[in-house]
Amino acid sequence: MEQIVVTGGRALGGSVQVCGAKNAVLKHLVAMLLAPGEHRLDNVPGIADVDIMCRVLEHIGASARRDGSRLTVHIPDDLRPEAPIELVRKMRASILVLGALLARAGEARVALPGGDDFGSRPIDMHLDGLEALGATFELRHGVLHAAAPGGLRGTEVTLEFPSVGATENVLFGAVMAQGTTVISNAAREPEIADLAAALSSMGARIDGAGTSTMQIHGVGEMAPMDHRVVPDRLEAGTYLIAGAITGGEVTVERCVPSHLRMELRKLEEAGCEIETGDDWVRLAGPERPQAVGFSTLPYPGFHTDMHPQMVALLSVAEGTSVITENIYEARFRYVGELNRLGADVTLEGQHVLIRGVEALSGCPVDACDIRAGAAMVLAGLRAEGYTEVANANHIDRGYQRFVPNLEALGADIRRETVEA
Ligand code: EPU
């Protein structure tokens, strides 16, 4: 078992550069299935989820080669249109191959992901959208068998909620469908705009990406992509909170500050001083943050994937903060872990009440998921004494070089392998 050991109390200082966004690159890899040939992707992060998505593509028949942050993927003419349960279980995003395989091969067999640590997380909107485009689905022995006997046809799809994954699956189905598809109430995340840019580099015709109404004019054929992945706003935001929670001064480079508008606003309200440039953000943290309230919402609202890190910061704030989680029904396993460190956090349904304490004290905690794991490390940076964060492999799913980057910023931190 991998664990991260942090000794708290040092103010961080210096600069860190962020990588390409996990939640963009995984979709770019799926998009490649739409065209045979050699695809090129730059600014690809070295994270575990990229390796898993490459394994999904390899199962389908592709081969991938990495050279630093460049990934070259060969997509063959004939595909094996399936994603098996071993891989879907490892990473839910595997279900995104559904739309792409239907578009390219006219069929797909994808194991159903089931629930996870964030609650039941259904895929009803993915299926409704693809059904509107002409797909049929049958569930047999836990595997969804999808077909598009008459091909996919453009239509109007109105999403009940601006789901990121449903928008993407419908987009994959629509780019080569006959005619025009309009997605209303589409997700507006920067990663969706970046996916549309990658698809456009392949020959897709998409209007309105990054807004809530997308128009996709189906094209007969697509060509391989050549694209650079948008910077990871969650990685950027996590390092900024590392600066904030330690009362340090951290500059995050190679990011897009406007993608973090709401998060930066809340950090300012908490007492941080923030300066931004074209592709950098500098944050100076206060000695002790102020309490702030926020609700997680789809972009451009406060990102749910910054919620645990922000609660870690607010756990040592002056005053009481109330935040509301609107995206996931069950993103709260980290609360018990944070309280072990001495925080005073309680739950009331979807509301989190954080009574700021003066100090945290280090102890063994668990990284329940990617962001919760990052939040535990951040809390450890502030806590007195040692904090051991178990199951650090969760953090590897979304952060490249997390420990070396924090060490370079001055943290007393190391990673070790221990017997489980
Ligand atoms: N939902 C449904 N039905 C659907 C689809 C979604 O009820 O058909 C619900 C989900 O259960 C959830 C909410 O809608 O409660 C939002 O889900 P969404 O589809 O927007 O999220 P996702 O595509 O499954 C992506 C990111 C998540 C991120 C969310 C929200 C990837 C691979 N994952 O998930 O990232 O939290 O969008 O922004 O892009 C992470 O990076 O740590 C992570 C969990």
Side-chain angles (χ1 to χ4, degrees), residues 362-377:
C363 70
V365 288
D366 189 44
C368 331
D369 62 66
I370 308 176
R371 310 301 166 190
M376 289 308 122
V377 173

Side-chain angles (χ1 to χ4, degrees), residues 73-342:
V73 178
H74 180 261
I75 302 288
D77 287 321
D78 293 319
L79 305 178
R80 168 153 65 147
E82 60 175 38
I85 187 68
E86 312 86 77
L87 295 173
V88 177
R89 264 212 195 105
K90 280 205 166 77
M91 192 183 63
R92 278 182 68 83
S94 314
I95 55 166
L96 289 170
V97 300
L98 202 54
L101 289 177
L102 273 168
R104 176 75 197 291
E107 57 168 333
R109 296 178 293 281
V110 177
L112 268 194
D116 64 14
D117 286 348
F118 294 173
S120 61
R121 285 181 90 182
I123 55 163
D124 52 324
M125 287 185 257
H126 299 233
L127 304 188
D128 289 351
L130 290 170
E131 229 162 39
L133 288 167
T136 59
F137 297 101
E138 199 187 332
L139 183 64
R140 278 187 252 145
H141 307 295
V143 176
L144 203 56
H145 291 249
L152 297 173
R153 286 172 190 281
T155 186
E156 284 192 26
V157 175
T158 301
L159 297 176
E160 223 174 284
F161 173 88
S163 150
V164 173
T167 303
E168 291 160 343
N169 240 333
V170 174
L171 184 56
F172 290 138
V175 280
M176 290 206 291
Q178 268 182 45
T180 297
T181 300
V182 179
I183 311 179
S184 302
N185 202 19
R188 292 182 281 166
E189 267 66 7
E191 293 77 20
I192 302 253
D194 195 52
L195 173 60
L199 286 165
S200 300
S201 85
M202 299 172 71
R205 289 179 52 215
I206 302 166
D207 297 323
T211 76
S212 53
T213 307
M214 291 174 77
Q215 264 197 16
I216 304 115
H217 310 282
V219 294
E221 233 181 33
M222 309 260 291
M225 83 167 61
D226 191 353
H227 184 76
R228 187 178 172 81
V229 184
V230 70
D232 197 315
R233 59 194 162 117
L234 301 170
E235 194 194 7
T238 302
Y239 289 124
L240 290 173
I241 296 184
I245 199 168
T246 60
E249 188 173 325
V250 166
T251 304
V252 174
E253 297 172 347
R254 292 205 199 162
C255 63
V256 184
S258 62
H259 291 170
L260 280 161
R261 222 172 261 139
M262 188 58 73
E263 293 76 14
L264 294 183
R265 188 197 290 185
K266 292 296 161 183
L267 284 167
E268 260 179 341
E269 277 179 33
C272 301
E273 280 173 31
I274 291 173
E275 209 187 322
T276 57
D278 281 351
D279 67 348
W280 55 267
V281 180
R282 183 171 306 128
L283 177 146
E287 214 161 278
R288 199 167 168 204
Q290 296 296 317
V292 295
F294 62 90
S295 298
T296 63
L297 284 169
Y299 188 80
F302 194 99
H303 202 310
T304 177
D305 291 340
M306 291 296 297
H307 147 179
Q309 302 91 309
M310 193 69 178
V311 173
L313 174 69
L314 297 177
S315 73
V316 290
E318 243 179 284
T320 298
S321 310
V322 181
I323 73 148
T324 303
E325 171 56 50
N326 289 309
I327 308 297
Y328 294 115
E329 65 194 39
R331 162 157 243 169
F332 302 115
R333 271 184 59 201
Y334 75 90
V335 168
E337 300 302 305
L338 203 50
N339 285 344
R340 284 170 58 73
L341 290 165

